[in-house]
Amino acid sequence: DEYWLITTTTTTTQMRMHATTVMADAVPRATRTRGRRTAPIASWAWSTAPSSRRPRCGVDTRRCEDRRPSRRSSVVVRASRTPKQGQRVSLHYTMTLSDGTVVDDTRNANRGAVTVTHGDGALFPKIASALGEMTKGDQRVVELTPSEAFGEHDESKISRFPLKPEEAAEMAKQVQPGQLVQLPQGQAAMCLAMDNESVTLDMNHPLAGQTLTFALELLDITDGITIFGTPMVALKL
């Protein structure tokens, strides 16, 4: 019936040093007499323990050694921060065609980083999905097929519109074949041909039918607009 006082230390050497300062409660009850505290344990342990197991300090610390705490290291792993729904995302991107032609690059002198609200539908779904897996400083290359970008080229969207001679003359002052024009409904169209009687417009997106490659770099993630702590995003129907 023994009681041992175990002091938490990090090394066996420190444990043995603490063992030399064991209080009376750590001494076997048999060594207590008439309420007086005696401590003959040091000489007792030295004389009774085998020579191979005799402790250096004269105290049998085998019990302490068996219970010595293992070293533990606390490693704090901080979760990588990826953009969440409603947060503002700032990024650079370079958009190129399959032949290597650079169509758009936000790093140009006249441009700057683009900031959008993650999850508001302003980006192509595949681009938004890639950004949702990135953290600040990450770079990624994403390739979009025509169906994932601006769609396939639709020949039915090419139309010829008749013009009066005076209308054709007025339009010739403003538009040349190969230029984009904005129709009264707000839709953009490419002028393919024009003469004194008609104009031919292609209402496909200029990049319809093209495979696009986006080189993305996520610059920053900030909190977006919130109401009572809940992010708010635009709903597009």
Side-chain angles (χ1 to χ4, degrees):
D1 187 9
E2 297 177 344
Y3 295 85
W4 293 85
L5 178 63
I6 305 300
T7 304
T8 302
T9 58
T10 57
T11 65
T12 303
T13 301
Q14 292 175 335
M15 180 63 72
R16 288 173 175 169
M17 293 175 63
H18 281 282
T20 61
T21 60
V22 175
M23 303 298 293
D25 289 338
V27 181
R29 291 184 179 181
T31 64
R32 299 186 183 184
T33 58
R34 297 182 182 180
R36 293 180 300 172
R37 296 178 178 178
T38 60
I41 185 171
S43 59
W44 168 82
W46 182 265
S47 61
T48 58
S51 58
S52 60
R53 299 297 301 274
R54 289 178 184 175
R56 298 177 182 177
C57 60
V59 178
D60 192 353
T61 57
R62 285 175 293 175
R63 186 73 57 87
C64 298
E65 292 178 1
D66 292 341
R67 297 185 182 183
R68 65 180 183 274
S70 59
R71 293 185 180 181
R72 295 181 179 179
S73 58
S74 299
V75 179
V76 179
V77 179
R78 181 168 296 177
S80 299
R81 187 186 179 194
T82 56
K84 307 301 180 185
Q85 187 90 354
Q87 289 186 317
R88 302 283 287 172
V89 178
S90 298
L91 69 147
H92 274 308
Y93 72 85
T94 302
M95 180 173 61
T96 58
L97 302 180
S98 56
D99 61 0
T101 302
V102 177
V103 179
D104 195 9
D105 189 351
T106 59
R107 294 178 178 83
N108 288 338
N110 297 330
R111 296 288 304 279
V114 176
T115 300
V116 297
T117 300
H118 185 62
D120 69 349
L123 302 176
F124 294 121
K126 195 170 182 178
I127 298 293
S129 177
L131 287 174
E133 300 173 352
M134 297 170 64
T135 59
K136 183 177 177 179
D138 283 354
Q139 298 183 12
R140 184 173 296 191
V141 176
V142 181
E143 184 176 280
L144 303 183
T145 62
S147 60
E148 295 170 331
F150 295 102
E152 300 289 349
H153 192 272
D154 187 356
E155 293 294 331
S156 65
K157 292 183 178 181
I158 300 176
S159 302
R160 179 177 179 273
F161 298 92
L163 296 174
K164 295 179 180 179
E166 57 271 19
E167 292 176 338
E170 184 64 25
M171 184 173 288
K173 297 178 182 179
Q174 306 177 48
V175 182
Q176 297 296 323
Q179 290 182 329
L180 284 174
V181 298
Q182 186 172 7
L183 303 180
Q185 300 83 1
Q187 184 179 4
M190 176 74 70
C191 178
L192 299 182
M194 184 173 57
D195 53 31
N196 293 332
E197 298 180 351
S198 65
V199 59
T200 303
L201 299 178
D202 182 359
M203 285 173 282
N204 284 287
H205 190 279
L207 296 176
Q210 297 282 355
T211 297
L212 306 178
T213 300
F214 285 83
L216 308 173
E217 180 182 3
L218 182 55
L219 302 177
D220 197 13
I221 304 171
T222 57
D223 291 332
I225 301 174
T226 61
I227 297 180
F228 304 114
T230 302
M232 182 178 68
V233 298
L235 178 63
K236 295 185 178 181
L237 301 176

